[in-house]
Structure formats: structure tokens, C-alpha cells
Amino acid sequence: MPSLKDLRNRISSVKSTQKITSAMKMVAAAKLRRAQEQAEAGRPYADRMERMLGSLTASLEGREDAPRLLAGTGRDNVHLIIVATSDRGLCGAFNSSIVRDARRLMKDLRGDGKTIKIFCIGRKGQEQLKREFGSHIVDTVDEVGKPRLHFGDASGIAERVHALFEAGEFDVCTIVYNHFRSAMTQLVTRQQLIPWPLSEAAEEVAEGPRAVYEYEPSEEEILAELMPLNLAVQIYRALLENAASEQGARMTAMDSATRNAGDMIDKLTLYYNRTRQAYITNELIEIISGAEAL
Amino acid sequence: MAEKVAFELVSPERLLISEAVDMVVVPGTEGHFGVLPGHAPFTSTVRPGVIEIYNGGEVTGRLFVAGGFAEVTPERCTVLAEEAMAPGEIDRGQVESQIRDLGEDMRGAQTDTERRAVQARLLVAEAKLAALEETSGR
């Protein structure tokens, strides 16, 4: 049976842990709001970009000279998987759910006889993948977007990916990240980046009646500039979603940790009081029986 | 003039402007172009420079863009800028030192690709400076 002193120590240590988790929850909530605002602010650009790409690609459809970022290399032997995770832990299942999905994807691809390569964003994903897939990791980036994610961070990553693609290192590129739905739910999402699949919305634009555009300079030149930029925009969007998801997951995790700590303190306090009373009763019995013996 | 163009300027980080204007002048790669209501559908790349917004025959707003794309339809004009800011937000000293640094990078550049990348950044910095001079001169 633990002594009273042990119990007291235990209670005070749980209390200080609770203080930390509740502070982390508060910080995460504030950061979540900021990340959400940023994700919202980035949406118009991505939407417009998609619309423009839709009308451009429609006019280039079936042409032989489409940029390789759009059409791909014509093979799908080597897959590059960008695993976007966070640098910090203590955010629930956020990182492990991304890694789990990435792992599943890699197993499937391997089963089909494809070669896989991994590009890690964020330290946590790298740590988890290092053991099993260490030899497949071609590049890693961490501490992205501290203290605030800028578009330049994303375009830097995009440039590295693009350079790998130009060097013929891979044929298909997919990014795995957490899509932010709410603070409680994040959905692990796979998004193919190269070759760029046209979304349904863009296809609708392309199929509907539309004006014939003029291009200055030529369509090919615009597309050749637009595609690498689109890559950066998509990575930027994924990173923003990820940042919001991370804070959401952390907030939820810290909330339940704080509540757990509260429950634990209640239980320990009850136990402490019972033990204390038992001691007192014991002592009284000793005194009384001692007096009676006289 | 009753008709207006719905002008939008978006950068990856935020939607800067979304308003109805009489005319916008955009620095296209192959020359400046003005967009009035009813403009033919048109897509162009944009080079670093200043976008001018006209209302009632006067310039009512200026914005610096560091390149991007413009999409024009009869009703609207959308500019996707890689970087955009009001000329007042440009820090002169910073840009000047940036130009100096880039000049050194240029001399240090080994390959053509490196040189091109530096050149592109130099163009943006120079356009920033030009935008600054243009607006402060008025």
C-alpha cells in the first residue's frame, strides 16, 4: 500500500501535468483558428487556378505536346509518395494515421511490382518510416513553415519535386496528408500531383459551352508556366490543411488528456482520503486498546 | 459608363481585391493591356510590374505584382499573382540590398539554370524598385 506521502506526490504530479495539457489545448485552439483562417484565405487562388487549368487543358486535350507535368511520362513504374506530417508530437493519431495510410499505399504499389520513393515532409513521418522504408526515402524536409507557413516554403518543396521529376526519378507523384474537416475529424487524403488529374469541376467547365480564349503568349507557354506553379499551389494547400488538422488533432487530444487527468485526480484524492482515515482509525484503536490494557 | 469589370487579384496567401471597376491595366508579358467591360476572352502571363485600377477616368489603385497569370472574360478579369502588394508596402532599402545580393549571386552562378533563376528574381526586384519610383515621383 502506498504511503500518504507517495499519494500526495502522485496527486501533485498529475495536477501539474493537467496544467500543461490544458495550456497546450488553449495554445492549439488559438493556432487552429489562425491556421483555419490561412487555409480559407488560400482557397480562392486554388479555385481560380483550377478553373484556368480546366479551360487550358481542355483546349490541349489529346495533343502530343502537352507538358509532361500534365500528361506524365507515359509510364507508371516509379511512384514518388510525399508524406506530409508534422514536426511535433502530442497530437493524437494525426501523424500515425497519415503514416499508416502511406504504408498501405506503398504495400499496394509494391504488390503491383512498382518501385516506390518517399519524400518526407515533417520529422514525425520520417521517424516512423525510417525503419521499414529507410532506403526508399529520397529527400526530407522539416521545420516547414515556422512560425508561419508561406507560399515560398511550398514552392521550394515543389521545385525540389519538379527537379526530381525532370531528372526522371519518378513517373507518378502522390501526396498523403490530412484533410481538415473539423477540429474533431481529419480525413487522410491521397492526392495525385503528377500527372495532374483533372477534377470533375474542371471537366464540367471544359465540357460546358464556353468562349474561345485567346492566349498570349501561346497556350503551351502558359501551360508550361502554370503547371509547376500548380504543383506548388497543391503542395501549399496540402500543407495548410495539414497545419490546421495538426492543431485540431492536438486540441482534441489535449482536451481528453486534461479530462483524464481530472478523473485521475478525483480517484487519487478519494483514495488518499480513505487511506488517511484508515490511518487515523488505526491509531485511535491502538491508543484505546493501549489505555484499556492498563 | 454603367458597365463594370469584376476585377479580382488573388495571391496564394489571400484574396487581395475583389471589386467592380471601370478598367484595369495589367502588365502582360507581351505588353500592358487594359481590360474594359466586354473584353474578348483572353489568358495571358503577367510580368513583374504594377496593376493600375481606373475608376471614373482616374487611377484609383495601384498594386505591385511579381508575375503570374491573368484570365479575362467579358465580365471579369482575374489576376493570379505569385506575390502582390501595395507599392507603399515595399521596403526600399531591403529591395536595394536584395538587388546587390542577387548581382553577386549572378556572378557566382555556375550553370545556366542557376543564372536564369537569379535573373528572374532580379527582374522582380528591379520591377519593385521601378514601381516605387513611379509612385513616389507623383
mmCIF file of all heavy atoms in Angstrom, chain B residues 95-120:
data_model
loop_
_atom_site.group_PDB
_atom_site.id
_atom_site.type_symbol
_atom_site.label_atom_id
_atom_site.label_comp_id
_atom_site.label_asym_id
_atom_site.label_seq_id
_atom_site.Cartn_x
_atom_site.Cartn_y
_atom_site.Cartn_z
ATOM 1 N N VAL B 95 14.910 46.133 -50.794
ATOM 2 C CA VAL B 95 14.959 45.767 -52.207
ATOM 3 C C VAL B 95 16.338 46.086 -52.780
ATOM 4 O O VAL B 95 16.919 45.296 -53.524
ATOM 5 C CB VAL B 95 13.866 46.511 -53.008
ATOM 6 C CG1 VAL B 95 13.999 46.212 -54.483
ATOM 7 C CG2 VAL B 95 12.490 46.106 -52.527
ATOM 8 N N GLU B 96 16.875 47.249 -52.382
ATOM 9 C CA GLU B 96 18.190 47.622 -52.917
ATOM 10 C C GLU B 96 19.268 46.633 -52.509
ATOM 11 O O GLU B 96 20.094 46.221 -53.314
ATOM 12 C CB GLU B 96 18.545 49.043 -52.473
ATOM 13 C CG GLU B 96 17.937 50.075 -53.411
ATOM 14 C CD GLU B 96 18.022 51.479 -52.874
ATOM 15 O OE1 GLU B 96 18.494 51.678 -51.740
ATOM 16 O OE2 GLU B 96 17.607 52.397 -53.615
ATOM 17 N N SER B 97 19.219 46.221 -51.242
ATOM 18 C CA SER B 97 20.243 45.263 -50.801
ATOM 19 C C SER B 97 20.020 43.917 -51.478
ATOM 20 O O SER B 97 20.967 43.190 -51.779
ATOM 21 C CB SER B 97 20.244 45.126 -49.283
ATOM 22 O OG SER B 97 19.095 44.467 -48.853
ATOM 23 N N GLN B 98 18.745 43.620 -51.755
ATOM 24 C CA GLN B 98 18.441 42.368 -52.437
ATOM 25 C C GLN B 98 19.051 42.377 -53.846
ATOM 26 O O GLN B 98 19.628 41.390 -54.291
ATOM 27 C CB GLN B 98 16.925 42.195 -52.525
ATOM 28 C CG GLN B 98 16.503 40.770 -52.788
ATOM 29 C CD GLN B 98 15.004 40.658 -53.011
ATOM 30 O OE1 GLN B 98 14.268 41.622 -52.858
ATOM 31 N NE2 GLN B 98 14.579 39.485 -53.394
ATOM 32 N N ILE B 99 18.935 43.526 -54.504
ATOM 33 C CA ILE B 99 19.492 43.630 -55.856
ATOM 34 C C ILE B 99 21.000 43.434 -55.818
ATOM 35 O O ILE B 99 21.576 42.729 -56.645
ATOM 36 C CB ILE B 99 19.122 44.992 -56.493
ATOM 37 C CG1 ILE B 99 17.632 45.016 -56.822
ATOM 38 C CG2 ILE B 99 19.956 45.251 -57.753
ATOM 39 C CD1 ILE B 99 17.144 46.276 -57.455
ATOM 40 N N ARG B 100 21.639 44.042 -54.825
ATOM 41 C CA ARG B 100 23.089 43.880 -54.693
ATOM 42 C C ARG B 100 23.452 42.408 -54.484
ATOM 43 O O ARG B 100 24.342 41.866 -55.135
ATOM 44 C CB ARG B 100 23.612 44.716 -53.522
ATOM 45 C CG ARG B 100 24.033 46.114 -53.931
ATOM 46 C CD ARG B 100 24.895 46.755 -52.860
ATOM 47 N NE ARG B 100 24.230 46.815 -51.551
ATOM 48 C CZ ARG B 100 23.336 47.746 -51.217
ATOM 49 N NH1 ARG B 100 22.984 48.682 -52.069
ATOM 50 N NH2 ARG B 100 22.790 47.749 -50.017
ATOM 51 N N ASP B 101 22.698 41.757 -53.556
ATOM 52 C CA ASP B 101 22.975 40.339 -53.274
ATOM 53 C C ASP B 101 22.803 39.491 -54.519
ATOM 54 O O ASP B 101 23.611 38.611 -54.809
ATOM 55 C CB ASP B 101 22.027 39.806 -52.188
ATOM 56 C CG ASP B 101 22.326 40.421 -50.842
ATOM 57 O OD1 ASP B 101 23.379 41.092 -50.748
ATOM 58 O OD2 ASP B 101 21.534 40.238 -49.912
ATOM 59 N N LEU B 102 21.726 39.782 -55.257
ATOM 60 C CA LEU B 102 21.437 38.985 -56.448
ATOM 61 C C LEU B 102 22.505 39.191 -57.509
ATOM 62 O O LEU B 102 22.861 38.272 -58.234
ATOM 63 C CB LEU B 102 20.060 39.327 -57.004
ATOM 64 C CG LEU B 102 18.885 38.788 -56.181
ATOM 65 C CD1 LEU B 102 17.579 39.343 -56.690
ATOM 66 C CD2 LEU B 102 18.853 37.277 -56.217
ATOM 67 N N GLY B 103 23.018 40.432 -57.566
ATOM 68 C CA GLY B 103 24.098 40.706 -58.508
ATOM 69 C C GLY B 103 25.310 39.831 -58.212
ATOM 70 O O GLY B 103 25.941 39.286 -59.119
ATOM 71 N N GLU B 104 25.603 39.663 -56.905
ATOM 72 C CA GLU B 104 26.719 38.794 -56.531
ATOM 73 C C GLU B 104 26.429 37.338 -56.876
ATOM 74 O O GLU B 104 27.282 36.623 -57.385
ATOM 75 C CB GLU B 104 27.001 38.925 -55.031
ATOM 76 C CG GLU B 104 27.853 40.138 -54.712
ATOM 77 C CD GLU B 104 27.855 40.444 -53.231
ATOM 78 O OE1 GLU B 104 27.704 39.506 -52.426
ATOM 79 O OE2 GLU B 104 27.997 41.630 -52.887
ATOM 80 N N ASP B 105 25.169 36.941 -56.589
ATOM 81 C CA ASP B 105 24.768 35.567 -56.909
ATOM 82 C C ASP B 105 24.967 35.302 -58.391
ATOM 83 O O ASP B 105 25.374 34.216 -58.807
ATOM 84 C CB ASP B 105 23.281 35.331 -56.573
ATOM 85 C CG ASP B 105 23.073 35.239 -55.074
ATOM 86 O OD1 ASP B 105 24.089 35.262 -54.351
ATOM 87 O OD2 ASP B 105 21.915 35.155 -54.644
ATOM 88 N N MET B 106 24.646 36.322 -59.175
ATOM 89 C CA MET B 106 24.710 36.198 -60.625
ATOM 90 C C MET B 106 26.134 35.880 -61.054
ATOM 91 O O MET B 106 26.369 35.000 -61.879
ATOM 92 C CB MET B 106 24.265 37.528 -61.238
ATOM 93 C CG MET B 106 24.008 37.471 -62.691
ATOM 94 S SD MET B 106 22.604 36.399 -62.982
ATOM 95 C CE MET B 106 22.084 37.084 -64.510
ATOM 96 N N ARG B 107 27.078 36.619 -60.464
ATOM 97 C CA ARG B 107 28.477 36.371 -60.816
ATOM 98 C C ARG B 107 28.915 34.997 -60.339
ATOM 99 O O ARG B 107 29.756 34.353 -60.962
ATOM 100 C CB ARG B 107 29.364 37.459 -60.211
ATOM 101 C CG ARG B 107 29.351 38.747 -61.029
ATOM 102 C CD ARG B 107 30.368 39.743 -60.514
ATOM 103 N NE ARG B 107 29.941 40.360 -59.254
ATOM 104 C CZ ARG B 107 29.049 41.354 -59.177
ATOM 105 N NH1 ARG B 107 28.456 41.797 -60.270
ATOM 106 N NH2 ARG B 107 28.724 41.874 -58.029
ATOM 107 N N GLY B 108 28.330 34.550 -59.212
ATOM 108 C CA GLY B 108 28.713 33.247 -58.653
ATOM 109 C C GLY B 108 28.008 32.073 -59.323
ATOM 110 O O GLY B 108 28.378 30.936 -59.100
ATOM 111 N N ALA B 109 26.989 32.369 -60.127
ATOM 112 C CA ALA B 109 26.191 31.281 -60.703
ATOM 113 C C ALA B 109 27.025 30.455 -61.669
ATOM 114 O O ALA B 109 27.784 30.986 -62.465
ATOM 115 C CB ALA B 109 24.973 31.854 -61.418
ATOM 116 N N GLN B 110 26.881 29.146 -61.550
ATOM 117 C CA GLN B 110 27.690 28.237 -62.369
ATOM 118 C C GLN B 110 26.964 27.813 -63.638
ATOM 119 O O GLN B 110 27.499 27.925 -64.729
ATOM 120 C CB GLN B 110 28.045 26.982 -61.555
ATOM 121 C CG GLN B 110 28.815 27.261 -60.283
ATOM 122 C CD GLN B 110 30.212 27.785 -60.540
ATOM 123 O OE1 GLN B 110 30.844 27.400 -61.516
ATOM 124 N NE2 GLN B 110 30.684 28.689 -59.693
ATOM 125 N N THR B 111 25.730 27.325 -63.462
ATOM 126 C CA THR B 111 25.033 26.760 -64.611
ATOM 127 C C THR B 111 24.022 27.760 -65.173
ATOM 128 O O THR B 111 23.716 28.768 -64.543
ATOM 129 C CB THR B 111 24.274 25.492 -64.194
ATOM 130 O OG1 THR B 111 23.328 25.865 -63.187
ATOM 131 C CG2 THR B 111 25.208 24.446 -63.657
ATOM 132 N N ASP B 112 23.518 27.425 -66.333
ATOM 133 C CA ASP B 112 22.518 28.277 -66.971
ATOM 134 C C ASP B 112 21.232 28.340 -66.160
ATOM 135 O O ASP B 112 20.614 29.385 -66.045
ATOM 136 C CB ASP B 112 22.201 27.750 -68.381
ATOM 137 C CG ASP B 112 23.160 28.338 -69.406
ATOM 138 O OD1 ASP B 112 23.978 29.186 -68.996
ATOM 139 O OD2 ASP B 112 23.089 27.940 -70.581
ATOM 140 N N THR B 113 20.846 27.181 -65.612
ATOM 141 C CA THR B 113 19.604 27.147 -64.837
ATOM 142 C C THR B 113 19.709 28.078 -63.635
ATOM 143 O O THR B 113 18.792 28.836 -63.344
ATOM 144 C CB THR B 113 19.306 25.717 -64.319
ATOM 145 O OG1 THR B 113 20.378 24.860 -64.704
ATOM 146 C CG2 THR B 113 17.999 25.209 -64.835
ATOM 147 N N GLU B 114 20.864 28.027 -62.965
ATOM 148 C CA GLU B 114 21.056 28.894 -61.804
ATOM 149 C C GLU B 114 20.945 30.358 -62.223
ATOM 150 O O GLU B 114 20.287 31.151 -61.586
ATOM 151 C CB GLU B 114 22.456 28.682 -61.215
ATOM 152 C CG GLU B 114 22.505 27.696 -60.077
ATOM 153 C CD GLU B 114 23.921 27.510 -59.582
ATOM 154 O OE1 GLU B 114 24.551 28.515 -59.211
ATOM 155 O OE2 GLU B 114 24.420 26.363 -59.607
ATOM 156 N N ARG B 115 21.610 30.650 -63.341
ATOM 157 C CA ARG B 115 21.643 32.029 -63.806
ATOM 158 C C ARG B 115 20.224 32.511 -64.122
ATOM 159 O O ARG B 115 19.864 33.626 -63.796
ATOM 160 C CB ARG B 115 22.536 32.124 -65.057
ATOM 161 C CG ARG B 115 23.360 33.384 -65.089
ATOM 162 C CD ARG B 115 24.488 33.273 -66.075
ATOM 163 N NE ARG B 115 25.554 32.400 -65.594
ATOM 164 C CZ ARG B 115 26.216 31.554 -66.364
ATOM 165 N NH1 ARG B 115 25.934 31.454 -67.647
ATOM 166 N NH2 ARG B 115 27.184 30.808 -65.868
ATOM 167 N N ARG B 116 19.454 31.624 -64.746
ATOM 168 C CA ARG B 116 18.078 32.007 -65.090
ATOM 169 C C ARG B 116 17.260 32.277 -63.844
ATOM 170 O O ARG B 116 16.481 33.227 -63.785
ATOM 171 C CB ARG B 116 17.414 30.906 -65.922
ATOM 172 C CG ARG B 116 17.498 31.168 -67.421
ATOM 173 C CD ARG B 116 16.431 30.412 -68.153
ATOM 174 N NE ARG B 116 16.580 28.970 -68.004
ATOM 175 C CZ ARG B 116 17.421 28.235 -68.726
ATOM 176 N NH1 ARG B 116 18.175 28.809 -69.650
ATOM 177 N NH2 ARG B 116 17.491 26.936 -68.552
ATOM 178 N N ALA B 117 17.430 31.429 -62.824
ATOM 179 C CA ALA B 117 16.661 31.593 -61.589
ATOM 180 C C ALA B 117 16.999 32.929 -60.933
ATOM 181 O O ALA B 117 16.119 33.663 -60.492
ATOM 182 C CB ALA B 117 16.951 30.436 -60.636
ATOM 183 N N VAL B 118 18.297 33.251 -60.905
ATOM 184 C CA VAL B 118 18.718 34.509 -60.301
ATOM 185 C C VAL B 118 18.175 35.678 -61.124
ATOM 186 O O VAL B 118 17.676 36.661 -60.595
ATOM 187 C CB VAL B 118 20.256 34.583 -60.206
ATOM 188 C CG1 VAL B 118 20.692 35.932 -59.662
ATOM 189 C CG2 VAL B 118 20.777 33.469 -59.316
ATOM 190 N N GLN B 119 18.259 35.524 -62.437
ATOM 191 C CA GLN B 119 17.799 36.570 -63.343
ATOM 192 C C GLN B 119 16.318 36.885 -63.082
ATOM 193 O O GLN B 119 15.915 38.045 -63.009
ATOM 194 C CB GLN B 119 17.987 36.095 -64.792
ATOM 195 C CG GLN B 119 17.557 37.085 -65.845
ATOM 196 C CD GLN B 119 18.548 38.219 -65.979
ATOM 197 O OE1 GLN B 119 19.750 38.005 -65.945
ATOM 198 N NE2 GLN B 119 18.057 39.434 -66.096
ATOM 199 N N ALA B 120 15.520 35.828 -62.902
ATOM 200 C CA ALA B 120 14.082 36.010 -62.677
ATOM 201 C C ALA B 120 13.851 36.794 -61.393
ATOM 202 O O ALA B 120 13.029 37.708 -61.345
ATOM 203 C CB ALA B 120 13.389 34.653 -62.604
#
